Amino acid sequence: MTIFVLDASYIIALELANDQNHVGASRHWQSLRGRPLEVVTTSYVFDEIVTFLNSRNHHAKAVQVGSRLLASPYY
């Protein structure tokens, strides 16, 4: 089993299509599908993501991503 620790910049790049790293992050994320992988993050990363999105007028996206992270068994 591999543990993959998510950081804020990776999740933001996955979530925002206009992020300069979106394409690379999306390709990488797709390459992980189907692998025995445990994905984890921290409350600090959660806070950074939600604050970043909300402060850039992406409130709905901040709520959506925050809710998904909180509902995840790996958070």
Side-chain angles (χ1 to χ4, degrees):
M1 170 78 59
T2 301
I3 297 175
F4 185 65
V5 180
L6 297 173
D7 74 346
S9 61
Y10 185 81
I11 295 173
I12 290 166
L14 285 174
E15 294 294 334
L16 297 180
N18 64 344
D19 185 281
Q20 66 184 16
N21 297 307
H22 177 74
V23 172
S26 295
R27 284 185 185 144
H28 180 258
W29 185 251
Q30 290 301 318
S31 75
L32 298 175
R33 294 179 77 89
R35 290 186 181 188
L37 189 67
E38 185 171 337
V39 180
V40 296
T41 194
T42 68
S43 59
Y44 296 108
V45 171
F46 172 87
D47 180 56
E48 186 177 358
I49 294 163
V50 172
T51 299
F52 176 89
L53 293 171
N54 199 44
S55 70
R56 284 159 179 80
N57 298 316
H58 295 291
H59 178 74
K61 179 62 85 173
V63 171
Q64 177 191 41
V65 173
S67 296
R68 278 200 323 253
L69 287 170
L70 289 174
S72 171
Y74 302 111
Y75 174 64

